[in-house]
Amino acid sequence: MKIIVGLGNPEEKYAKTFHNMGYIAAGDVAATLGVKFKKKECEAVVAEANVGGEKVIIARPVTYMNNSGRVVKQLLARYKATSADLIVLYDDYDLPKGHVRIRPSGSAGTHNGMRSVIAETGVSDFVRIRIGIRDPEVNIPIINYVLAEVRPQDYELFISACGRAADAAIALCRGESVENVMTKYNG
């Protein structure tokens, strides 16, 4: 079993913001696997897929970013899963825009959603797939930046990064090792 959680904010006004890269990537996972977000459970909209005989849950929390951990904790309990089954997709201000970085564990960095996930679950040893959003040309406070819409000239770059992040998550679901996936998709 794998549980893929794409972090973001649920309202339409956030759909094209930097903070919704995890939502977009989770949508790409669902689309690639041919499933739709049909049900609501554990404070998330959820799609279910089967990859190589293994159940895959794809979730988008509806709690807003700073309470994402509550959803992850509920999903892990609902599906009797462990941190080894968890993959979290999210935007990362600490990475240059368009970069994708996969890690098997780590800290929350500057990300409040990840702080919530780690605090609520009590673990940090789960795969995270980070989508870089930092633009050195933009100099505004982080909170304003992450909630801003992606500039039209950068939109394709971010859509491509979300697609690569989704491909990495699917590769993990297919049984590829984290090390192999890191080699293929980091950068």
Side-chain angles (χ1 to χ4, degrees), residues 92-111:
D92 194 329
Y93 185 81
D94 297 328
L95 290 177
K97 68 181 180 179
H99 284 233
V100 172
R101 178 131 339 126
I102 297 103
R103 290 286 180 258
S105 63
S107 72
T110 59
H111 203 280

Side-chain angles (χ1 to χ4, degrees), residues 113-163:
M114 285 300 291
R115 280 192 191 114
S116 173
V117 171
I118 291 169
E120 287 283 339
T121 63
V123 297
S124 62
D125 62 336
F126 54 87
V127 174
R128 66 261 341 262
I129 301 177
R130 300 158 40 204
I131 301 159
I133 63 168
R134 188 183 68 239
D135 186 337
E137 296 175 16
V138 179
N139 189 16
I140 60 174
I142 292 175
I143 188 65
N144 296 343
Y145 184 79
V146 298
L147 294 176
E149 280 199 12
V150 173
R151 297 183 303 184
Q153 65 267 32
D154 290 335
Y155 199 69
E156 286 304 315
L157 173 68
F158 285 105
I159 291 303
S160 174
C162 288

